[in-house]
């Protein structure tokens, strides 16, 4: 209980203690802050990080690629014809399909490759490879794995998803927005 001039707070043994002035209980505050931060930066549906805050990961990946002499690629991944799933089966099945897709992508990629829910049915991947050929092989593996791993939905129906990818090799000093724009253009061309 708190009033303008005093507070009653339970002490560690549970007995009430009277304080003069205002007292703020900070027990659990750190845990609450961490939970709120996680909710703000992670998609509750897929568990993936959201696109907000990607800039710092992008900068770190760019530096790491220079250090290891790898090429950095931004990969835009879009679930094909996803609106049809929502329209035909409803949004709960669409949610199952998105979780399934996120799980497939996580399982297919290296742990060191940051993956984000970019929005709607789009995902963004920061991928490092030694060559364009290696990047193309990874992209083909993603497309094949998604296509050959059906989604099991609640009524025992299975749905086959397909994805289209747009890859853009990131220039050594290129900004994130520029690379995303090029990857997005490649996605739409696909």
């Amino acid at each position: 209980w708190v009033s303008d001039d005093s507070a009653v707070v339970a002490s560690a043994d549970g007995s009430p203690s009277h304080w003069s002035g205002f007292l703020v209980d900070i027990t659990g505050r750190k845990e609450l802050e961490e939970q709120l931060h996680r909710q703000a930066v992670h998609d509750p549906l897929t568990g993936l990080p959201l696109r907000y805050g990607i800039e710092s990961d992008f900068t770190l990946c760019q530096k790491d690629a220079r250090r290891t002499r790898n090429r950095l690629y931004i990969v835009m991944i879009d679930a094909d014809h996803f609106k049809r799933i929502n329209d035909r089966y409803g949004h709960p099945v669409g949610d199952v399909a998105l979780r399934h897709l996120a799980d497939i992508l996580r399982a297919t990629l290296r742990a060191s490759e940051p993956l984000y829910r970019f929005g709607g049915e789009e995902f963004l991947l920061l991928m490092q490879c030694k060559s364009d050929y290696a990047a193309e092989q990874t992209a083909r593996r993603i497309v094949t794995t998604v296509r050959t791993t059906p989604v099991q939905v609640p009524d025992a129906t299975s749905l086959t998803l397909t994805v289209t990818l747009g890859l853009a090799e990131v220039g050594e000093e290129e900004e994130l927005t520029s690379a995303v724009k090029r990857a997005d253009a490649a996605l739409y061309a696909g």
Side-chain angles (χ1 to χ4, degrees):
W1 172 81
V2 178
S3 72
D4 289 341
D5 59 351
S6 68
V8 177
V9 179
S11 62
D13 66 1
S15 62
S17 300
H18 295 275
W19 293 77
S20 176
F22 183 74
L23 178 70
V24 176
D25 181 10
I26 61 170
T27 306
R29 181 177 174 184
K30 184 168 178 65
E31 291 86 9
L32 180 60
E33 287 175 354
E34 288 172 1
Q35 182 182 12
L36 290 173
H37 176 72
R38 177 161 171 71
Q39 289 174 349
V41 298
H42 281 82
D43 175 37
L45 181 65
T46 63
L48 291 174
L50 294 168
R51 65 195 284 180
Y52 312 105
I54 190 175
E55 293 83 8
S56 60
D57 286 347
F58 175 77
T59 301
L60 290 173
C61 286
Q62 223 173 7
K63 288 177 184 176
D64 188 52
R66 278 194 299 267
R67 183 182 56 77
T68 60
R69 299 183 193 266
N70 280 326
R71 296 177 181 186
L72 177 62
Y73 296 84
I74 289 200
V75 184
M76 296 296 298
I77 304 166
D78 184 61
D80 297 332
H81 313 293
F82 194 77
K83 185 177 179 334
R84 290 182 193 168
I85 292 172
N86 281 333
D87 289 349
R88 181 171 180 189
Y89 299 101
H91 289 278
V93 170
D95 288 351
V96 169
L98 283 174
R99 278 193 298 272
H100 174 80
L101 180 55
D103 290 344
I104 289 173
L105 293 173
R106 269 192 293 258
T108 304
L109 303 171
R110 293 184 290 256
S112 61
E113 295 175 319
L115 176 68
Y116 305 87
R117 173 108 183 255
F118 201 70
E121 68 275 1
E122 287 189 340
F123 299 84
L124 183 142
L125 167 66
L126 297 175
M127 179 176 67
Q128 291 187 43
C129 295
K130 291 289 182 191
S131 67
D132 289 342
Y133 177 76
E136 183 180 329
Q137 290 304 106
T138 298
R140 288 184 190 283
R141 186 177 72 243
I142 291 168
V143 169
T144 300
T145 302
V146 170
R147 185 176 358 106
T148 59
T149 311
V151 181
Q152 298 303 315
V153 295
D155 69 355
T157 302
S158 65
L159 303 174
T160 301
L161 297 177
T162 59
V163 292
T164 301
L165 278 63
L167 281 76
E169 183 177 351
V170 178
E172 216 172 285
E173 300 298 324
E174 188 173 9
E175 296 288 324
L176 174 65
T177 53
S178 169
V180 167
K181 185 176 181 180
R182 291 187 307 104
D184 207 35
L187 174 71
Y188 285 110

